[in-house]
Every structure is written in structure tokens, then in C-alpha cells.
Amino acid sequence: MKFSLATIMAVAAIMTPALALPAALPASFDNHRVVRINVQNEAQLATLTANEEALGFDYFTHNKVVGGNVDVRIPPASFAKFEALKLDYSTLISNLQTVLIEERQQDLRYQTTWKNRLSEAKKTLSVNGVSNPESEFAAAADVWFNGYHSFADHQTWLKALIANNPTKVSAISAGKSFQGRDQNGFKIGTGPNHVVFHGTQHAREWITTMVVEYIGNELVTGTDTRVAGYLSKFTFHIIPVMNPDGFVVTQTSDRMHRKNAQTNGGCLGTDTNRNWGFKWGTGGSSSSPCAQDYKGPSAFSSPEATNVAAYLRSLPKVVSYIDFHSYSQLWMVPFGYTGTRPSNYAYLNGLAQKAAAALKAVNGVSYRTGDIYNIIYQASGNSADYAYSIGVGAPFAVELRDTGSYGFSLPASQIVPSGKETWAAFAAILDNIVV
């Protein structure tokens, strides 16, 4: 028996009124295609750029240069006009809505398991009179990384981790988002060398939230024998959701939303990773408020970037900063604003290469390394460049799985494998960094 997309989504909405994530997102991407365009010459680049706004392109990747491959979501109403441009392209996803439905159906199954585990934990804990959301989350921790979660659940997970490890873990916050949500996380370790990392600067990159939490959880409860040494050598500052407002947008109204939730000229959001105050607006960002890489009206006009930058500056010795993104499988170093590499590029890229090798040894997944500008595209006003400019020893911008088959809708079945391999890469950085 076959069902239409509309029927599947309607059934999902009936089935899941109480689940953590919305069953059907208002923004539909039915028959939206994701294509990979091979930009072969300057004429093609000019054609692409001249038509991007009129045809409503959503750049999933931004390697919009001659010789580059750029992934673009194209609305169905624009596809015939896109084909008329005669650009060289291949199709990655023929109907984005089917991928999102698959993501949704996986979540329905997982949320049933998650809610059942919480219910079982509540019953067990209630017998002893100690039931509360934090204790219930802790009791169900074994299935946390089997699926994606709402922002509210991530907040409870953080509270549970802190409450259940009071001698090791303490709460931190970089500040408040544009809409007043906490950019919160936790701190662990007693070492003089500070390491800061976060996920979800770009809202639709859900895998980054889970991987950042996976790494943090390994530092708190993991069995890796190296952790004790790491905790005496380093202090770790971990923010799973750097852009909470945008993250909520992806879970309530538009799964493909990238930016924060500031209102700009009738369009929603600033790309916070083009808004940092080092070489802001010098290329690789847009002045159009409706563009996905809109740099904002001025450097640090977004509170989210401003807050994390201030948090970095407040620490005495930051030896590494990692901004986790998806997708493309890259472990990158500064710079993004220029093709001129930093003076210690050999050291930085050497660390990235060690991370990529350790990562590949886990599941066979290959990452490329290099500086942002030369490995993907120019991107001024980015976080890694800013971290380098204020003296952070080893800043990185990481693009997690995959290379386009699922893009931002990476199946939940890949959370744990991604977490394990990224932990190995992270440990390789810690093992080899100069402090």
C-alpha cells in the first residue's frame, strides 16, 4: 500500500501530539531538490550569482568559486529556470521533503523509546521518593544519543549532568540570545589550559549538538583512561547550542533555518558565523538580509557571537577553540578571510591531520584538512579567525558528517558513530597540542 506525502505527514501529526519535537513542520520542502553545481568558469559563476536571489537558492555549502562544487537547495517553482541556465550539476537529493519525512519517522520511533524510558525511570525513582526530571534523565541516559531532542530536553539534559556530577561539573553561560534564551553549557576540569567548544552556531546542523554533548559526556562519565589526565591538564568549557533561537526555529517552523532569529529587513536572522569582529565584511559574506550568509549590519551585531567572543576573552589561557558544524567532513584551521595562511599553519594543520587520522581509524570515515579559505571558500567574520586573532593557540572549524547524501538531516543512527569518531579526533588534539 502506498501513501502520499500529505497522508504520511497527517498521520504523523495525529500520532505524536506529546512528543518532544513537532510532528509536522509548517515549512514544506516537497519537491525541493538539492543539487551540486560544478562551477567551471567565470561566466558560470556570474550566471549563478546573478540568478541566486530571483530563483530562491539556499546554499547548503558555500564553495561558490571557479573550480568549486557548491550544494544548493532549489524550490520546485524555480527548477525549470535553473535548468535553463545550463550549469553543470548533479542531483544529491531529488526531494528534500522525503528526507525530512524519513528523519521525522525515525524520530517518532525514537521518541517512543525515550518517553518509555523516562516513564520507567519515574516509576522506579518514585518508589524511593527521589523522582524529578534530572534524576529521570540520568536514569535514561543510555538511550540519549540514539536520537535528536528538543531544546527544552537539551536544557534538562544539561541540568541532569550537572546535578548528578556536582563535584566535577559546573554550569556556565556565555549570555543571552536575541530572544533571551541562555547560551548555556558546563565546565569540567582543573587544568590551567582552557579548551572551549560548541555546536549549533548554524541552527539546522543538529548533529553538532549531539556530538558536542557526546564529547562532553565522555569527559564526565566516559571510560577512556586518558580522561583523568585531560582533566588535570585542561579545563573544558562546553556549549552544546550556541544559537538557541535559531535551533528552536528549526524545530517549530523551518527545519532548514540557518541563522539566528534577529529580524533584518523583513527576513529572519543574521549568520552569526559571518558576524565576528575580526576582518568582518571583507569577503565571503552577504550584505543582503535575506541571504543565508548575511553578515549583519555591523560586526558583533548578533548577541550570540558577541557573548561567546566575550567568554573566550574572559579566560586566561585558551589553548584551543572548536566550532562544530555540518556537513562536509572537514577539519579546518584559520584563515577564512584570506588565502594567506597563518605563520604557524604547519603546526595547526598538523594537529588537524592527526585528528583526521584518529577519526578515520574508528569507522573509516575520511576528513580533509586545511585552511578555511583554501579548502572550501572565503568566509570573513568567522569564529575560528576571531579566536586566532585574540591569541587562542589552536582554533578549528569542523564540518561533521556527511558529504551530501543526507546533508543537514543526518539520520539519528549516525549520532553515536559520529560521536565516537569525533571523540577520537578530539583526544588526538589534546594528546598533541602544545600548551
Side-chain angles (χ1 to χ4, degrees), residues 162 164-169:
I162 294 164
N164 288 286
N165 300 277
T167 62
K168 296 173 64 177
V169 181

Side-chain angles (χ1 to χ4, degrees), residues 39 42 182 185 198 232 238 283 296 378:
V39 183
E42 292 289 349
D182 263 326
H198 60 72
S232 64
I238 303 155
Q378 184 180 24

Side-chain angles (χ1 to χ4, degrees), residues 31-46:
N31 292 319
H32 287 233
R33 305 191 198 198
V34 180
V35 303
R36 177 164 292 165
I37 302 170
N38 177 22
V39 183
Q40 297 174 324
N41 52 54
E42 292 289 349
Q44 291 182 355
L45 178 60

Side-chain angles (χ1 to χ4, degrees), residues 39-263:
V39 183
Q40 297 174 324
N41 52 54
E42 292 289 349
Q44 291 182 355
L45 178 60
T47 297
L48 180 63
T49 302
N51 288 276
E52 59 191 19
E53 189 169 337
L55 299 187
F57 290 171
D58 175 6
Y59 287 98
F60 277 23
T61 62
H62 294 261
N63 191 21
K64 198 177 67 172
V65 296
V66 174
N69 292 315
V70 59
D71 298 354
V72 184
R73 173 177 63 83
I74 303 175
S78 300
F79 197 76
K81 294 178 181 177
F82 165 72
E83 285 195 304
L85 301 179
K86 302 298 183 183
L87 298 173
D88 181 48
Y89 76 92
S90 59
T91 300
L92 297 177
I93 299 173
S94 59
N95 186 346
L96 180 58
Q97 189 69 17
T98 62
V99 174
L100 298 183
I101 289 174
E102 180 181 347
E103 176 184 69
R104 187 64 227 156
Q105 296 307 308
Q106 286 186 354
D107 183 67
L108 296 180
R109 293 189 290 271
Y110 167 69
Q111 290 293 336
T112 299
T113 300
W114 173 244
K115 296 298 181 182
N116 287 341
R117 290 288 286 111
L118 288 178
S119 179
E120 293 167 4
K122 185 173 184 177
K123 290 177 182 177
T124 301
L125 292 166
S126 294
V127 172
N128 300 318
V130 293
S131 181
N132 56 59
E134 288 77 21
S135 61
E136 292 160 16
F137 267 57
D142 59 308
V143 296
W144 175 258
F145 294 105
N146 292 351
Y148 294 103
H149 297 269
S150 68
F151 179 69
D153 273 1
H154 283 292
Q155 296 299 288
T156 306
W157 182 87
L158 275 174
K159 292 177 183 177
L161 191 73
I162 294 164
N164 288 286
N165 300 277
T167 62
K168 296 173 64 177
V169 181
S170 57
I172 63 169
S173 175
K176 297 284 189 180
S177 68
F178 178 75
Q179 294 180 338
R181 295 181 176 89
D182 263 326
Q183 292 177 281
N184 55 353
F186 64 96
K187 179 173 68 172
I188 183 171
T190 58
N193 307 294
H194 295 267
V195 177
V196 179
F197 60 99
H198 60 72
T200 333
Q201 177 160 208
H202 288 148
R204 59 192 176 187
E205 298 166 7
W206 288 5
I207 185 59
T208 67
T209 317
M210 301 305 300
V211 166
V212 165
E213 289 178 345
Y214 188 98
I215 296 171
N217 192 65
E218 285 296 298
L219 290 169
V220 178
T221 66
T223 59
D224 192 317
T225 57
R226 296 171 293 181
V227 167
Y230 295 156
L231 296 181
S232 64
K233 185 177 182 179
F234 303 99
T235 297
F236 300 94
H237 307 254
I238 303 155
I239 301 174
V241 184
M242 185 268 203
N243 173 14
D245 298 348
F247 187 57
V248 170
V249 170
T250 67
Q251 297 186 333
T252 56
S253 59
D254 182 353
R255 176 65 182 87
M256 290 295 110
H257 185 72
R258 165 184 166 98
K259 300 181 285 185
N260 72 359
Q262 286 176 279
T263 52

Side-chain angles (χ1 to χ4, degrees), residues 299-345:
F300 284 136
S301 59
S302 69
E304 294 84 2
T306 302
N307 294 342
V308 177
Y311 190 88
L312 280 172
R313 294 194 306 270
S314 74
L315 300 174
K317 184 184 179 185
V318 183
V319 297
S320 188
Y321 163 81
I322 309 177
D323 181 7
F324 285 101
H325 291 265
S326 73
Y327 58 93
S328 285
Q329 296 173 198
L330 306 168
W331 203 287
M332 298 178 292
V333 306
F335 291 116
Y337 82 94
T338 178
T340 301
R341 290 166 168 164
S343 59
N344 62 342
Y345 173 78

Side-chain angles (χ1 to χ4, degrees), residues 262-278:
Q262 286 176 279
T263 52
N264 296 299
C267 290
L268 187 65
T270 295
D271 182 351
T272 59
N273 204 34
R274 301 295 184 275
N275 191 242
W276 293 65
F278 177 70

